[in-house]
Amino acid sequence: MSNPAKTAVVRQPDPAVTAAGKRMTSLKSNLIGYAFISPWLIGFLVFIIGPMIASAYLSLTHYDMLTAAKWAGFGNYAKLFGEDDRFYTALKVTFIFAVISVPLKLAFALIIATMFNGKHRGIGIYRTVYYIPSIVGGSVAIAVMWKQLFGDEGAVNGILQLFGVQGTNWVTNPDTALSTLILLVIWQFGSPMLIFLAGLKQIPGEIYEAAIVDGANRFQKYARITLPLLTPVIFFNLVMQMIDAFMAFTQSFLVTAGGPLDRTLFYAVYLYQTAFGHFEMGYASAMAWVLLFIVAAVTLLFFRSASTWVHYESEGGR
C-alpha cells in the first residue's frame, strides 16, 4: 500500500533552473555556429567592411599615399561632377559597353545553351570546349592574342583580304576599338551559358508534351513555354552580367589601355589610373563610391521592373 505522505513530497523541477539550462544549451549551440562561420565573418569584416569604411573616409580627404590625408569634405565629389570631363567620358563609355555587350552576350549564351540542351554524343565535350573562353578570357595571353587578331597584320584582316576588303588596325582605330572589346566579352559567354543550361533542364517535359498534343510547333513551344519559364534565370544572368560590365577592367586595361582618344576608357580603368597612376587615392575613393551607387541604382531598377516580365511558378505567375 502506497504512502500518501511520500507521494506528496515528490520534487518538481525548478522553472528557473530549467530556463537557465535551456539558455546554456542555446548559447552553446550559437557559439558552435559562430565558430564555424568565424573564418568567413573575419574575412568579411577585414577585407570588405574595413576597406569600405576606409574608402568612405578617404573619399572625403586629399590623400596621395605618401603624405597624411587632409580633410576635404565633399571637395572630391564636387570636382568629380563639376570639373572632370574624363569622368563623364568614362561613364559614357562604360554605359555603352554595358548596354551593348550584356544583351548580346546573354542572347548568344542562350542560343548555345538551347543547342546543347539535348542528349547527343559527346555533348559534354562540346560544353567544356565552349566554357573554356570564360576561364582564359581575362588572361594577359588572351589580351595579346586579341591585339594580334585585330591588328594590322592580324587574322581578321587576312580573312578580309581574301574578299578584297582592306582592313584596319581595329584595336587602335577610335571608331572600332570599343567594338573589339565588346566582341571579346561576348566571346566569354560560358558562365551564363551554363546557368541557362541548368534552367532549361528544370523545365518539366510534360509541359512540352501537352503543347505538342495541342498542336504547338517548335517556335510556339519556345516562345510560349521555354522563354517565360526561363525568365527568372534570364533575370539573374542579366543582373550579374550588368554588374560585371560596370566593373569591367581587364579588357580595356590590357588590350587598349583606355585608348585611343579615351574611346575605351572604362570607369574602372580611369579609377585605377587615378589611384595608382596619379596617386590621388582620395579622389579615386570618391569615384569608387559613385560607381557603387550607380550599380546599386541600376540593380534596383532591374528589381523594380522584374514584376512586369519575370515569371515565378511558385508565386502563381508574376
Side-chain angles (χ1 to χ4, degrees), residues 204-230:
E206 294 81 3
I207 300 178
Y208 291 113
E209 294 172 359
I212 293 173
V213 172
D214 290 338
N217 58 34
R218 182 174 296 182
F219 174 78
Q220 289 171 326
K221 285 190 296 180
Y222 197 81
R224 303 288 180 82
I225 298 174
T226 304
L227 287 180
L229 294 182
L230 205 61

PDB file of all heavy atoms in Angstrom, residues 204-230:
ATOM      1  N   PRO A 204       9.782  21.181 -66.864  1.00  0.00           N
ATOM      2  CA  PRO A 204       9.208  19.819 -66.960  1.00  0.00           C
ATOM      3  C   PRO A 204       8.868  19.441 -68.402  1.00  0.00           C
ATOM      4  O   PRO A 204       8.298  20.241 -69.158  1.00  0.00           O
ATOM      5  CB  PRO A 204       7.936  19.926 -66.107  1.00  0.00           C
ATOM      6  CG  PRO A 204       8.148  21.109 -65.226  1.00  0.00           C
ATOM      7  CD  PRO A 204       8.989  22.067 -66.007  1.00  0.00           C
ATOM      8  N   GLY A 205       9.211  18.226 -68.780  1.00  0.00           N
ATOM      9  CA  GLY A 205       8.924  17.742 -70.128  1.00  0.00           C
ATOM     10  C   GLY A 205       7.440  17.582 -70.393  1.00  0.00           C
ATOM     11  O   GLY A 205       6.998  17.644 -71.543  1.00  0.00           O
ATOM     12  N   GLU A 206       6.634  17.386 -69.318  1.00  0.00           N
ATOM     13  CA  GLU A 206       5.190  17.204 -69.502  1.00  0.00           C
ATOM     14  C   GLU A 206       4.538  18.431 -70.153  1.00  0.00           C
ATOM     15  O   GLU A 206       3.540  18.304 -70.878  1.00  0.00           O
ATOM     16  CB  GLU A 206       4.511  16.929 -68.150  1.00  0.00           C
ATOM     17  CG  GLU A 206       4.900  15.622 -67.501  1.00  0.00           C
ATOM     18  CD  GLU A 206       6.221  15.700 -66.767  1.00  0.00           C
ATOM     19  OE1 GLU A 206       6.796  16.813 -66.722  1.00  0.00           O
ATOM     20  OE2 GLU A 206       6.689  14.669 -66.255  1.00  0.00           O
ATOM     21  N   ILE A 207       5.086  19.586 -69.863  1.00  0.00           N
ATOM     22  CA  ILE A 207       4.506  20.809 -70.443  1.00  0.00           C
ATOM     23  C   ILE A 207       4.679  20.807 -71.957  1.00  0.00           C
ATOM     24  O   ILE A 207       3.752  21.153 -72.711  1.00  0.00           O
ATOM     25  CB  ILE A 207       5.169  22.053 -69.819  1.00  0.00           C
ATOM     26  CG1 ILE A 207       4.947  22.067 -68.300  1.00  0.00           C
ATOM     27  CG2 ILE A 207       4.601  23.325 -70.440  1.00  0.00           C
ATOM     28  CD1 ILE A 207       5.609  23.224 -67.605  1.00  0.00           C
ATOM     29  N   TYR A 208       5.849  20.399 -72.419  1.00  0.00           N
ATOM     30  CA  TYR A 208       6.084  20.317 -73.871  1.00  0.00           C
ATOM     31  C   TYR A 208       5.189  19.263 -74.503  1.00  0.00           C
ATOM     32  O   TYR A 208       4.661  19.448 -75.607  1.00  0.00           O
ATOM     33  CB  TYR A 208       7.554  20.008 -74.152  1.00  0.00           C
ATOM     34  CG  TYR A 208       8.496  21.123 -73.804  1.00  0.00           C
ATOM     35  CD1 TYR A 208       9.405  20.977 -72.767  1.00  0.00           C
ATOM     36  CD2 TYR A 208       8.488  22.318 -74.496  1.00  0.00           C
ATOM     37  CE1 TYR A 208      10.285  21.998 -72.435  1.00  0.00           C
ATOM     38  CE2 TYR A 208       9.354  23.353 -74.179  1.00  0.00           C
ATOM     39  CZ  TYR A 208      10.249  23.183 -73.146  1.00  0.00           C
ATOM     40  OH  TYR A 208      11.099  24.202 -72.821  1.00  0.00           O
ATOM     41  N   GLU A 209       5.008  18.134 -73.808  1.00  0.00           N
ATOM     42  CA  GLU A 209       4.153  17.070 -74.339  1.00  0.00           C
ATOM     43  C   GLU A 209       2.706  17.549 -74.484  1.00  0.00           C
ATOM     44  O   GLU A 209       2.032  17.244 -75.475  1.00  0.00           O
ATOM     45  CB  GLU A 209       4.222  15.848 -73.414  1.00  0.00           C
ATOM     46  CG  GLU A 209       5.608  15.183 -73.393  1.00  0.00           C
ATOM     47  CD  GLU A 209       5.700  14.110 -72.329  1.00  0.00           C
ATOM     48  OE1 GLU A 209       4.705  13.911 -71.610  1.00  0.00           O
ATOM     49  OE2 GLU A 209       6.771  13.499 -72.216  1.00  0.00           O
ATOM     50  N   ALA A 210       2.243  18.296 -73.500  1.00  0.00           N
ATOM     51  CA  ALA A 210       0.887  18.834 -73.580  1.00  0.00           C
ATOM     52  C   ALA A 210       0.757  19.832 -74.734  1.00  0.00           C
ATOM     53  O   ALA A 210      -0.268  19.871 -75.436  1.00  0.00           O
ATOM     54  CB  ALA A 210       0.522  19.513 -72.260  1.00  0.00           C
ATOM     55  N   ALA A 211       1.822  20.629 -74.939  1.00  0.00           N
ATOM     56  CA  ALA A 211       1.790  21.601 -76.032  1.00  0.00           C
ATOM     57  C   ALA A 211       1.764  20.896 -77.387  1.00  0.00           C
ATOM     58  O   ALA A 211       1.082  21.341 -78.318  1.00  0.00           O
ATOM     59  CB  ALA A 211       3.001  22.523 -75.940  1.00  0.00           C
ATOM     60  N   ILE A 212       2.508  19.782 -77.495  1.00  0.00           N
ATOM     61  CA  ILE A 212       2.513  19.023 -78.757  1.00  0.00           C
ATOM     62  C   ILE A 212       1.117  18.459 -79.041  1.00  0.00           C
ATOM     63  O   ILE A 212       0.634  18.479 -80.174  1.00  0.00           O
ATOM     64  CB  ILE A 212       3.560  17.893 -78.674  1.00  0.00           C
ATOM     65  CG1 ILE A 212       4.964  18.493 -78.618  1.00  0.00           C
ATOM     66  CG2 ILE A 212       3.435  16.953 -79.871  1.00  0.00           C
ATOM     67  CD1 ILE A 212       6.049  17.465 -78.358  1.00  0.00           C
ATOM     68  N   VAL A 213       0.473  17.971 -77.983  1.00  0.00           N
ATOM     69  CA  VAL A 213      -0.891  17.450 -78.154  1.00  0.00           C
ATOM     70  C   VAL A 213      -1.833  18.544 -78.648  1.00  0.00           C
ATOM     71  O   VAL A 213      -2.745  18.299 -79.462  1.00  0.00           O
ATOM     72  CB  VAL A 213      -1.396  16.862 -76.813  1.00  0.00           C
ATOM     73  CG1 VAL A 213      -2.880  16.499 -76.912  1.00  0.00           C
ATOM     74  CG2 VAL A 213      -0.573  15.638 -76.427  1.00  0.00           C
ATOM     75  N   ASP A 214      -1.595  19.767 -78.181  1.00  0.00           N
ATOM     76  CA  ASP A 214      -2.438  20.891 -78.612  1.00  0.00           C
ATOM     77  C   ASP A 214      -2.040  21.444 -79.979  1.00  0.00           C
ATOM     78  O   ASP A 214      -2.648  22.426 -80.441  1.00  0.00           O
ATOM     79  CB  ASP A 214      -2.348  22.021 -77.573  1.00  0.00           C
ATOM     80  CG  ASP A 214      -3.031  21.644 -76.268  1.00  0.00           C
ATOM     81  OD1 ASP A 214      -3.891  20.744 -76.312  1.00  0.00           O
ATOM     82  OD2 ASP A 214      -2.703  22.229 -75.228  1.00  0.00           O
ATOM     83  N   GLY A 215      -0.999  20.863 -80.579  1.00  0.00           N
ATOM     84  CA  GLY A 215      -0.630  21.283 -81.936  1.00  0.00           C
ATOM     85  C   GLY A 215       0.399  22.384 -82.015  1.00  0.00           C
ATOM     86  O   GLY A 215       0.555  23.004 -83.075  1.00  0.00           O
ATOM     87  N   ALA A 216       1.112  22.650 -80.919  1.00  0.00           N
ATOM     88  CA  ALA A 216       2.109  23.718 -80.942  1.00  0.00           C
ATOM     89  C   ALA A 216       3.340  23.286 -81.747  1.00  0.00           C
ATOM     90  O   ALA A 216       3.782  22.142 -81.648  1.00  0.00           O
ATOM     91  CB  ALA A 216       2.524  24.079 -79.513  1.00  0.00           C
ATOM     92  N   ASN A 217       3.871  24.215 -82.536  1.00  0.00           N
ATOM     93  CA  ASN A 217       5.101  23.901 -83.258  1.00  0.00           C
ATOM     94  C   ASN A 217       6.315  24.274 -82.409  1.00  0.00           C
ATOM     95  O   ASN A 217       6.191  24.763 -81.281  1.00  0.00           O
ATOM     96  CB  ASN A 217       5.127  24.625 -84.609  1.00  0.00           C
ATOM     97  CG  ASN A 217       4.997  26.133 -84.442  1.00  0.00           C
ATOM     98  OD1 ASN A 217       5.478  26.691 -83.470  1.00  0.00           O
ATOM     99  ND2 ASN A 217       4.323  26.782 -85.388  1.00  0.00           N
ATOM    100  N   ARG A 218       7.514  24.092 -82.975  1.00  0.00           N
ATOM    101  CA  ARG A 218       8.739  24.308 -82.207  1.00  0.00           C
ATOM    102  C   ARG A 218       8.884  25.764 -81.765  1.00  0.00           C
ATOM    103  O   ARG A 218       9.261  26.039 -80.621  1.00  0.00           O
ATOM    104  CB  ARG A 218       9.941  23.901 -83.061  1.00  0.00           C
ATOM    105  CG  ARG A 218      11.264  24.038 -82.350  1.00  0.00           C
ATOM    106  CD  ARG A 218      12.405  23.496 -83.172  1.00  0.00           C
ATOM    107  NE  ARG A 218      12.266  22.069 -83.393  1.00  0.00           N
ATOM    108  CZ  ARG A 218      13.158  21.341 -84.060  1.00  0.00           C
ATOM    109  NH1 ARG A 218      14.231  21.931 -84.589  1.00  0.00           N
ATOM    110  NH2 ARG A 218      12.988  20.040 -84.217  1.00  0.00           N
ATOM    111  N   PHE A 219       8.584  26.701 -82.658  1.00  0.00           N
ATOM    112  CA  PHE A 219       8.703  28.111 -82.302  1.00  0.00           C
ATOM    113  C   PHE A 219       7.722  28.490 -81.196  1.00  0.00           C
ATOM    114  O   PHE A 219       8.064  29.222 -80.254  1.00  0.00           O
ATOM    115  CB  PHE A 219       8.455  28.977 -83.539  1.00  0.00           C
ATOM    116  CG  PHE A 219       8.420  30.452 -83.246  1.00  0.00           C
ATOM    117  CD1 PHE A 219       9.592  31.164 -83.048  1.00  0.00           C
ATOM    118  CD2 PHE A 219       7.201  31.119 -83.135  1.00  0.00           C
ATOM    119  CE1 PHE A 219       9.560  32.515 -82.754  1.00  0.00           C
ATOM    120  CE2 PHE A 219       7.167  32.468 -82.842  1.00  0.00           C
ATOM    121  CZ  PHE A 219       8.342  33.175 -82.655  1.00  0.00           C
ATOM    122  N   GLN A 220       6.483  28.006 -81.308  1.00  0.00           N
ATOM    123  CA  GLN A 220       5.479  28.324 -80.291  1.00  0.00           C
ATOM    124  C   GLN A 220       5.872  27.746 -78.937  1.00  0.00           C
ATOM    125  O   GLN A 220       5.659  28.387 -77.899  1.00  0.00           O
ATOM    126  CB  GLN A 220       4.117  27.786 -80.736  1.00  0.00           C
ATOM    127  CG  GLN A 220       3.515  28.550 -81.902  1.00  0.00           C
ATOM    128  CD  GLN A 220       2.276  27.876 -82.452  1.00  0.00           C
ATOM    129  OE1 GLN A 220       2.178  26.645 -82.461  1.00  0.00           O
ATOM    130  NE2 GLN A 220       1.331  28.685 -82.925  1.00  0.00           N
ATOM    131  N   LYS A 221       6.425  26.545 -78.932  1.00  0.00           N
ATOM    132  CA  LYS A 221       6.854  25.957 -77.653  1.00  0.00           C
ATOM    133  C   LYS A 221       7.967  26.803 -77.022  1.00  0.00           C
ATOM    134  O   LYS A 221       7.976  27.018 -75.807  1.00  0.00           O
ATOM    135  CB  LYS A 221       7.360  24.522 -77.887  1.00  0.00           C
ATOM    136  CG  LYS A 221       6.258  23.518 -78.142  1.00  0.00           C
ATOM    137  CD  LYS A 221       6.785  22.102 -78.116  1.00  0.00           C
ATOM    138  CE  LYS A 221       7.773  21.854 -79.234  1.00  0.00           C
ATOM    139  NZ  LYS A 221       8.291  20.473 -79.223  1.00  0.00           N
ATOM    140  N   TYR A 222       8.873  27.277 -77.866  1.00  0.00           N
ATOM    141  CA  TYR A 222       9.992  28.058 -77.320  1.00  0.00           C
ATOM    142  C   TYR A 222       9.516  29.427 -76.820  1.00  0.00           C
ATOM    143  O   TYR A 222       9.946  29.899 -75.757  1.00  0.00           O
ATOM    144  CB  TYR A 222      11.055  28.242 -78.400  1.00  0.00           C
ATOM    145  CG  TYR A 222      12.392  28.668 -77.848  1.00  0.00           C
ATOM    146  CD1 TYR A 222      13.269  27.734 -77.307  1.00  0.00           C
ATOM    147  CD2 TYR A 222      12.776  30.006 -77.857  1.00  0.00           C
ATOM    148  CE1 TYR A 222      14.496  28.116 -76.788  1.00  0.00           C
ATOM    149  CE2 TYR A 222      13.996  30.393 -77.338  1.00  0.00           C
ATOM    150  CZ  TYR A 222      14.856  29.449 -76.815  1.00  0.00           C
ATOM    151  OH  TYR A 222      16.062  29.842 -76.289  1.00  0.00           O
ATOM    152  N   ALA A 223       8.615  30.042 -77.596  1.00  0.00           N
ATOM    153  CA  ALA A 223       8.164  31.395 -77.236  1.00  0.00           C
ATOM    154  C   ALA A 223       7.157  31.389 -76.093  1.00  0.00           C
ATOM    155  O   ALA A 223       7.132  32.316 -75.271  1.00  0.00           O
ATOM    156  CB  ALA A 223       7.566  32.080 -78.462  1.00  0.00           C
ATOM    157  N   ARG A 224       6.300  30.364 -76.047  1.00  0.00           N
ATOM    158  CA  ARG A 224       5.218  30.358 -75.049  1.00  0.00           C
ATOM    159  C   ARG A 224       5.560  29.561 -73.791  1.00  0.00           C
ATOM    160  O   ARG A 224       4.897  29.734 -72.767  1.00  0.00           O
ATOM    161  CB  ARG A 224       3.951  29.763 -75.682  1.00  0.00           C
ATOM    162  CG  ARG A 224       3.477  30.484 -76.944  1.00  0.00           C
ATOM    163  CD  ARG A 224       2.895  31.842 -76.599  1.00  0.00           C
ATOM    164  NE  ARG A 224       2.426  32.552 -77.783  1.00  0.00           N
ATOM    165  CZ  ARG A 224       1.235  32.357 -78.363  1.00  0.00           C
ATOM    166  NH1 ARG A 224       0.419  31.444 -77.868  1.00  0.00           N
ATOM    167  NH2 ARG A 224       0.890  33.043 -79.424  1.00  0.00           N
ATOM    168  N   ILE A 225       6.548  28.670 -73.866  1.00  0.00           N
ATOM    169  CA  ILE A 225       6.871  27.835 -72.700  1.00  0.00           C
ATOM    170  C   ILE A 225       8.295  28.099 -72.204  1.00  0.00           C
ATOM    171  O   ILE A 225       8.505  28.463 -71.052  1.00  0.00           O
ATOM    172  CB  ILE A 225       6.707  26.336 -73.049  1.00  0.00           C
ATOM    173  CG1 ILE A 225       5.254  26.032 -73.421  1.00  0.00           C
ATOM    174  CG2 ILE A 225       7.145  25.474 -71.875  1.00  0.00           C
ATOM    175  CD1 ILE A 225       5.032  24.618 -73.912  1.00  0.00           C
ATOM    176  N   THR A 226       9.255  27.911 -73.106  1.00  0.00           N
ATOM    177  CA  THR A 226      10.648  27.978 -72.678  1.00  0.00           C
ATOM    178  C   THR A 226      11.021  29.368 -72.146  1.00  0.00           C
ATOM    179  O   THR A 226      11.513  29.491 -71.009  1.00  0.00           O
ATOM    180  CB  THR A 226      11.579  27.617 -73.850  1.00  0.00           C
ATOM    181  OG1 THR A 226      11.217  26.322 -74.345  1.00  0.00           O
ATOM    182  CG2 THR A 226      13.028  27.599 -73.399  1.00  0.00           C
ATOM    183  N   LEU A 227      10.792  30.388 -72.946  1.00  0.00           N
ATOM    184  CA  LEU A 227      11.209  31.725 -72.520  1.00  0.00           C
ATOM    185  C   LEU A 227      10.490  32.213 -71.260  1.00  0.00           C
ATOM    186  O   LEU A 227      11.145  32.738 -70.345  1.00  0.00           O
ATOM    187  CB  LEU A 227      11.020  32.716 -73.670  1.00  0.00           C
ATOM    188  CG  LEU A 227      12.035  32.597 -74.812  1.00  0.00           C
ATOM    189  CD1 LEU A 227      11.749  33.622 -75.893  1.00  0.00           C
ATOM    190  CD2 LEU A 227      13.455  32.756 -74.291  1.00  0.00           C
ATOM    191  N   PRO A 228       9.151  32.063 -71.160  1.00  0.00           N
ATOM    192  CA  PRO A 228       8.504  32.506 -69.911  1.00  0.00           C
ATOM    193  C   PRO A 228       9.018  31.780 -68.672  1.00  0.00           C
ATOM    194  O   PRO A 228       9.220  32.396 -67.623  1.00  0.00           O
ATOM    195  CB  PRO A 228       7.020  32.207 -70.163  1.00  0.00           C
ATOM    196  CG  PRO A 228       6.882  32.242 -71.641  1.00  0.00           C
ATOM    197  CD  PRO A 228       8.149  31.672 -72.174  1.00  0.00           C
ATOM    198  N   LEU A 229       9.211  30.452 -68.788  1.00  0.00           N
ATOM    199  CA  LEU A 229       9.686  29.714 -67.625  1.00  0.00           C
ATOM    200  C   LEU A 229      11.160  29.962 -67.331  1.00  0.00           C
ATOM    201  O   LEU A 229      11.643  29.649 -66.244  1.00  0.00           O
ATOM    202  CB  LEU A 229       9.459  28.205 -67.837  1.00  0.00           C
ATOM    203  CG  LEU A 229       7.989  27.784 -67.895  1.00  0.00           C
ATOM    204  CD1 LEU A 229       7.867  26.276 -68.060  1.00  0.00           C
ATOM    205  CD2 LEU A 229       7.264  28.214 -66.614  1.00  0.00           C
ATOM    206  N   LEU A 230      11.851  30.527 -68.307  1.00  0.00           N
ATOM    207  CA  LEU A 230      13.272  30.798 -68.121  1.00  0.00           C
ATOM    208  C   LEU A 230      13.538  32.230 -67.649  1.00  0.00           C
ATOM    209  O   LEU A 230      14.686  32.598 -67.404  1.00  0.00           O
ATOM    210  CB  LEU A 230      14.005  30.546 -69.450  1.00  0.00           C
ATOM    211  CG  LEU A 230      15.503  30.197 -69.381  1.00  0.00           C
ATOM    212  CD1 LEU A 230      15.716  28.913 -68.592  1.00  0.00           C
ATOM    213  CD2 LEU A 230      16.084  30.066 -70.771  1.00  0.00           C
TER     214      LEU A 230
END
